[in-house]
Amino acid sequence: EKGKDPASAEEIVPLLDEITEELRFIDGEQHVILNGRDVNGMIRTEAVSKAASDVSAIPEVRKFLFDMQRNIANSNDVIMDGRDIGTVVLPDAELKIFLTAKPEVRAKRRVLQLAEKGITAKYEDVLDDILKRDWNDSHRETAPLKQAEGAIYIDNSDILLADDIENVKRIVLEAKCR
């Protein structure tokens, strides 16, 4: 929103001091509040997804996010998702699940999600973005994308959402997480 280059540490790092965040439950759903503004709908957009890979490679941003996520986890019972939650942010989490799907399947799902929001996206472009982000995130020096030690691996490429949810719920219940 501020017109900064998400890959530029010089442009991004000074903005970190301006950030306040909190989690709120609104109508039974968790919402992320950033600088007093509900950004729940925005954080899953294509533009934010594209910028996330670049900005998250900046070490100062990683540290800021680690501290923020750890503070959230220390003061709330949470289920967190992210590419380094189980390896870096919460390596001692009670339960770690490495949930993945083939890039082609993820691209099809993303195109459908965008279409439901009235956004037209070309499958090839979305797939290309996913492949680039996967490569960037798995090859970055700071907190690369990889399966955490002890994480349960689930490839949901060929699983319906309802079955996937039931499978994860079963795993959580069997783990007897608080």
Side-chain angles (χ1 to χ4, degrees):
E1 288 181 337
K2 293 190 179 235
K4 306 296 183 183
D5 176 2
S8 170
E10 294 77 24
E11 292 184 43
I12 298 300
V13 171
L15 300 176
L16 297 177
D17 291 335
E18 301 173 17
I19 295 174
T20 62
E21 82 293 324
E22 67 176 297
L23 295 180
R24 284 189 202 152
F25 284 91
I26 302 170
D27 296 327
E29 183 181 325
Q30 178 182 290
H31 286 251
V32 177
I33 310 300
L34 183 65
N35 295 342
R37 192 167 126 216
D38 188 337
V39 295
N40 234 41
M42 296 171 56
I43 61 175
R44 303 276 184 209
T45 64
E46 196 66 20
V48 170
S49 182
K50 285 179 183 179
S53 186
D54 287 336
V55 76
S56 65
I58 300 170
E60 294 89 347
V61 171
R62 299 292 332 151
K63 182 183 180 334
F64 177 85
L65 292 172
F66 296 159
D67 293 344
M68 178 183 69
Q69 292 164 319
R70 286 181 183 135
N71 288 338
I72 290 169
N74 286 334
S75 58
N76 299 275
D77 289 331
V78 295
I79 296 174
M80 279 194 185
D81 71 302
R83 293 181 163 219
D84 62 356
I85 300 298
T87 55
V88 178
V89 178
L90 300 173
D92 297 323
E94 290 179 63
L95 175 65
K96 294 180 260 186
I97 297 173
F98 188 81
L99 186 63
T100 190
K102 296 173 187 150
E104 297 79 7
V105 172
R106 291 170 28 224
K108 286 178 188 173
R109 291 173 180 169
R110 187 70 179 139
V111 168
L112 289 173
Q113 284 177 331
L114 292 169
E116 288 172 3
K117 296 177 182 178
I119 302 168
T120 303
K122 290 177 23 181
Y123 168 81
E124 295 79 13
D125 293 341
V126 173
L127 177 60
D128 187 52
D129 288 343
I130 286 172
L131 291 171
K132 284 179 185 172
R133 183 174 181 204
D134 286 354
W135 193 92
N136 288 342
D137 289 356
S138 60
H139 289 84
R140 67 182 175 220
E141 188 174 322
T142 304
L145 166 64
K146 63 181 180 178
Q147 182 175 343
E149 186 176 320
I152 297 168
Y153 179 88
I154 300 173
D155 182 331
N156 70 4
S157 297
D158 301 315
I159 301 172
L160 297 174
L161 178 60
D163 294 333
D164 199 23
I165 292 169
E166 286 305 313
N167 188 27
V168 171
K169 282 172 53 177
R170 179 187 50 76
I171 290 167
V172 170
L173 291 172
E174 286 174 3
K176 298 181 181 168
C177 293
R178 52 182 166 110

